[in-house]
Amino acid sequence: MENYLDKAIELAKFGVKNLEGGPFGAVVVKDNKITGYGNNKVLKEKDPTAHAEIMAIRDACKKLNTHDLKDCVIYSTSEPCPMCLSAIIWSNIKEIYFVSNRKEVAGIGFRDDIIYNYLENKEKEILKIHQIENKKCQELLESYNRELY
């Protein structure tokens, strides 16, 4: 476990040194082998979703030629933000190990708490959500459901 976290830290340091993004790294492990590598590349890619865990998941999926990482574990330098946590759940990873928690990350200026507060209904002003009806979209969903199942 320690060498997986060491690799995640190494990736984070690389990203910071090369001005790619924040001090975050992650690896996805399957059968005791690293199959996905990621560091924060938000600045380099100009992509707010290019977090370390997302990059590691993308890399693992590509290398394993699958969207399902059910037999994998993820190691990260930090507690996943809500977006990364969702990606981990969507990819079917069932276990995560991390070092820094969300309060420590907040201490260096990262603002995951606004999203956690939003999800807990403590702060609704950050996003306005509107649902609209659309028959074509409903038909699309219905036809997709019939074709798959």
Side-chain angles (χ1 to χ4, degrees):
M1 176 186 337
E2 199 64 35
N3 61 341
Y4 301 137
L5 289 170
D6 288 344
K7 186 61 180 178
I9 292 166
E10 181 183 318
L11 290 163
K13 286 180 180 179
F14 176 85
V16 169
K17 179 182 174 190
N18 291 292
L19 304 175
E20 293 184 348
F24 307 107
V27 295
V28 174
V29 176
K30 180 176 181 173
D31 299 327
N32 297 315
K33 293 182 184 175
I34 297 176
T35 59
Y37 298 85
N39 63 284
N40 186 293
K41 294 186 179 187
V42 168
L43 300 177
K44 179 183 179 187
E45 301 293 328
K46 296 174 182 48
D47 177 354
T49 68
H51 290 197
E53 296 90 343
I54 302 285
M55 302 307 287
I57 289 168
R58 289 174 183 168
D59 189 41
C61 287
K62 189 173 191 176
K63 287 178 179 168
L64 297 171
N65 195 32
T66 185
H67 66 280
D68 190 347
L69 301 177
K70 66 182 172 197
D71 298 324
C72 297
V73 176
I74 191 165
Y75 294 81
S76 179
T77 58
S78 178
E79 180 178 1
C81 73
M83 177 186 67
C84 292
L85 184 59
S86 297
I88 291 165
I89 292 167
W90 276 116
S91 67
N92 287 322
I93 292 173
K94 303 295 185 208
E95 198 167 5
I96 180 167
Y97 295 90
F98 66 88
V99 183
S100 304
N101 66 41
R102 68 176 91 159
K103 289 183 176 152
E104 293 169 307
V105 172
I108 61 168
F110 289 85
R111 54 192 182 105
D112 297 357
D113 280 348
I114 66 166
I115 301 171
Y116 285 111
N117 288 340
Y118 177 82
L119 293 171
E120 294 169 2
N121 289 318
K122 295 178 185 173
E123 190 172 335
K124 285 297 181 186
E125 297 300 315
I126 64 170
L127 180 65
K128 293 180 180 160
I129 298 176
H130 310 278
Q131 182 178 8
I132 57 173
E133 291 187 34
N134 185 295
K135 187 176 179 177
K136 291 177 187 173
C137 187
Q138 283 304 120
E139 290 170 355
L140 172 65
L141 292 176
E142 291 168 9
S143 68
Y144 180 81
N145 191 29
R146 284 191 299 268
E147 289 175 20
L148 273 183
Y149 305 103

